[in-house]
Amino acid sequence: MSHKRSFAGGLIAGIVLTLFLGCGYFAGTQLYRAFQAQKGAVSASGDSQDGAVSVANPATMQKMGVLEEMIGEYYLEDAGEPELEQGVYKGMIEALGDPYSTYYSQEELEDLQNKTQGIYYGIGARVGIDADTQLPRIASVIEGTPAQEAGLMSGDLLYKVDDTLVQGMDLNSAVALVKGDEGTTVHLTVIREGETDYLEFDVERRKLENETVTYEMLEDGAGYIQIQEFDDVTVDQFEEALEACRQEGMRGLILDLRGNPGGNLTTVCEIARMMLPEGLIVYTEDKNGQREEYTCDGKSQLDVPLVVLVDANSASASEILAGAVKDYGIGTLVGTTTFGKGIVQRIMKLSDGSAVKLTVSKYYTPKGNNIHEIGISPDVEVPFEAEPYLEDGTDNQLERAVEVLKEKME
């Protein structure tokens, strides 16, 4: 028996939990005056009225002015003020040393919002950062997109985008190079395992609708639903897939979360409410110990046996759902240990249209487990066998999931 699927692996480093909040915005030479108005007078030593030390102090402002003058006087190329200003904001967030905290320009934020709402301009490949090479790595290729048509594959490492080397570049910047106007072409230089030289691809950019959920009915009443990420559009897509499987006589469900890097916290909780019993889905705690709970009323608890496929690339929101399933004992996890991302980011929009994404809390499974840098162990350990998959599409993890589900349905 051979089962084929659209999933393929890839190390994903990034997630987004989109909670938009309004807050103040400070720009250019107005930064210090705005800081004074909000926080009170700042002394020359950088101490504010409440004794806290701020980087927005007169000495910092003076040094920034000196640097700006030096760049204008001596730097060989032209340096635009908008680019320097954006660099100040990005640099401050990057100084946190947190790979999940990011500054978004207005354009970058709009791209992000469009993507989570299901519309974006690109090539149709989900990309993360490969931890070993620090190159962007294609986690999965969406069916029927330019990426698939051009011959790109899961696991490909992006070495160049057009003429730009992308090694060590942050994920947002690398992805921004791949995106572009509809109908234009991007040239990708790719490293592929087993090839002795670089591969070159010219890929057309298109307006794409983000299909995050796919489903099919397997034999003996086994429903199969794959969630590729948790975006705004995913709730309706999952609900439609679940109902379609029920209409086709589903007696058990395989939920595939492999390669799913996470996404929107609200989305995963809405999906969890279609499956879980009454109780906690997940709870978060911030730096002050403030706890926020996300709960389920149990009115739509799944009434058929459940198997959940996971792997090392199932991260964040995927782990929230898998962790709740495991804690409640309502399903069997099959595959390999998940990524281990137990922290939450919040996107806070600024008044000029830009935003910052900051890590703001830890999250815990219903039984109080924080899985950060630990992951969730499967109930049935099944390492993925790449060779049979590359030969004829045989998916040994899915094969085992089908076996486990059949045992549960008997």
Side-chain angles (χ1 to χ4, degrees):
M1 178 177 61
S2 173
H3 294 294
K4 296 185 178 181
R5 56 180 171 83
S6 61
F7 161 82
L11 180 60
I12 300 294
I15 66 138
V16 180
L17 300 178
T18 49
L19 301 175
F20 292 99
L21 301 177
C23 60
Y25 166 73
F26 312 120
T29 58
Q30 297 176 336
L31 177 61
Y32 176 53
R33 289 196 295 273
F35 182 82
Q36 283 183 311
Q38 182 170 346
K39 293 291 187 180
V42 180
S43 70
S45 65
D47 294 337
S48 64
Q49 286 183 333
D50 60 5
V53 177
S54 168
V55 296
N57 60 65
T60 303
M61 295 298 101
Q62 182 179 16
K63 187 171 183 177
M64 286 178 62
V66 170
L67 292 175
E68 189 173 17
E69 290 178 3
M70 291 174 68
I71 291 170
E73 182 74 19
Y74 299 109
Y75 182 59
L76 181 62
E77 308 291 342
D78 291 331
E81 183 177 336
E83 289 75 20
L84 292 176
E85 187 174 309
Q86 294 296 312
V88 171
Y89 308 142
K90 286 182 178 291
M92 189 170 189
I93 303 303
E94 288 174 2
L96 298 174
D98 176 13
Y100 304 113
S101 293
T102 305
Y103 170 84
Y104 295 105
S105 67
Q106 182 175 358
E107 293 76 16
E108 290 168 339
L109 181 62
E110 289 172 354
D111 286 344
L112 177 65
Q113 290 173 312
N114 286 335
K115 182 179 181 296
T116 60
Q117 291 166 5
I119 299 172
Y120 64 103
Y121 296 88
I123 64 172
R126 295 184 174 89
V127 181
I129 292 294
D130 182 80
D132 295 327
T133 64
Q134 291 301 299
L135 286 168
R137 179 187 181 97
I138 295 180
S140 60
V141 175
I142 302 170
E143 291 186 10
T145 63
Q148 184 189 50
E149 294 166 5
L152 290 168
M153 296 177 60
S154 170
D156 286 348
L157 297 172
L158 301 185
Y159 179 65
K160 284 185 180 181
V161 178
D162 290 323
D163 294 323
T164 303
L165 289 168
V166 292
Q167 186 169 28
M169 186 178 292
D170 68 87
L171 184 61
N172 290 327
S173 298
V175 170
L177 293 174
V178 177
K179 294 178 179 179
D181 294 335
E182 183 176 15
T184 59
T185 298
V186 60
H187 184 80
L188 303 178
T189 303
V190 165
I191 299 172
R192 179 174 293 170
E193 186 175 357
E195 298 290 340
T196 58
D197 202 354
Y198 298 112
L199 302 180
E200 308 285 340
F201 298 89
D202 289 306
V203 191
E204 182 186 8
R205 300 176 175 108
R206 294 183 198 156
K207 182 178 180 180
L208 302 171
E209 293 188 5
N210 201 15
E211 183 181 38
T212 62
V213 177
T214 56
Y215 76 93
E216 62 178 306
M217 287 298 298
L218 308 178
E219 64 266 23
D220 300 323
Y224 170 85
I225 299 178
Q226 180 188 29
I227 304 177
Q228 296 176 338
E229 57 190 13
F230 293 94
D231 292 338
D232 293 348
V233 297
T234 308
V235 175
D236 289 341
Q237 291 178 5
F238 178 79
E239 189 172 23
E240 291 171 4
L242 187 60
E243 181 58 28
C245 287
R246 284 176 172 147
Q247 292 295 325
E248 296 181 39
M250 178 179 69
R251 297 174 48 240
L253 175 63
I254 296 172
L255 180 64
D256 193 345
L257 300 179
R258 293 173 296 176
N260 183 322
N264 191 311
L265 178 59
T266 302
T267 296
V268 71
C269 288
E270 287 298 313
I271 289 173
R273 292 183 181 107
M274 301 181 204
M275 305 173 63
L276 297 181
E278 181 178 3
L280 274 174
I281 300 170
V282 65
Y283 68 91
T284 64
E285 287 186 0
D286 66 15
K287 65 191 297 183
N288 300 312
Q290 184 173 348
R291 174 167 165 159
E292 186 170 1
E293 297 183 349
Y294 299 82
T295 61
C296 176
D297 61 16
K299 294 180 179 179
S300 300
Q301 183 176 349
L302 195 67
D303 56 359
V304 297
L306 173 66
V307 172
V308 180
L309 279 164
V310 293
D311 68 2
N313 303 310
S314 305
S316 190
S318 297
E319 293 172 294
I320 288 175
L321 185 53
V325 167
K326 185 169 185 177
D327 279 7
Y328 283 113
I330 65 167
T332 302
L333 271 58
V334 174
T336 55
T337 301
T338 61
F339 183 81
K341 185 177 184 299
I343 51 179
V344 179
Q345 284 68 47
R346 172 171 290 145
I347 294 179
M348 293 166 278
K349 190 173 181 179
L350 309 182
S351 61
D352 71 331
S354 64
V356 291
K357 180 179 70 175
L358 296 176
T359 298
V360 295
S361 60
K362 298 178 181 179
Y363 76 75
Y364 298 82
T365 70
K367 287 188 175 180
N369 299 315
N370 178 257
I371 53 84
H372 192 59
E373 298 183 346
I374 299 172
I376 300 171
S377 299
D379 301 301
V380 181
E381 179 84 18
V382 184
F384 180 64
E385 296 176 1
E387 188 173 342
Y389 181 79
L390 292 173
E391 286 179 358
D392 60 13
T394 299
D395 181 347
N396 70 297
Q397 290 178 325
L398 180 55
E399 298 272 3
R400 186 70 179 99
V402 170
E403 293 173 1
V404 171
L405 186 63
K406 282 185 177 180
E407 293 172 2
K408 293 164 70 75
M409 292 192 300
E410 291 176 353

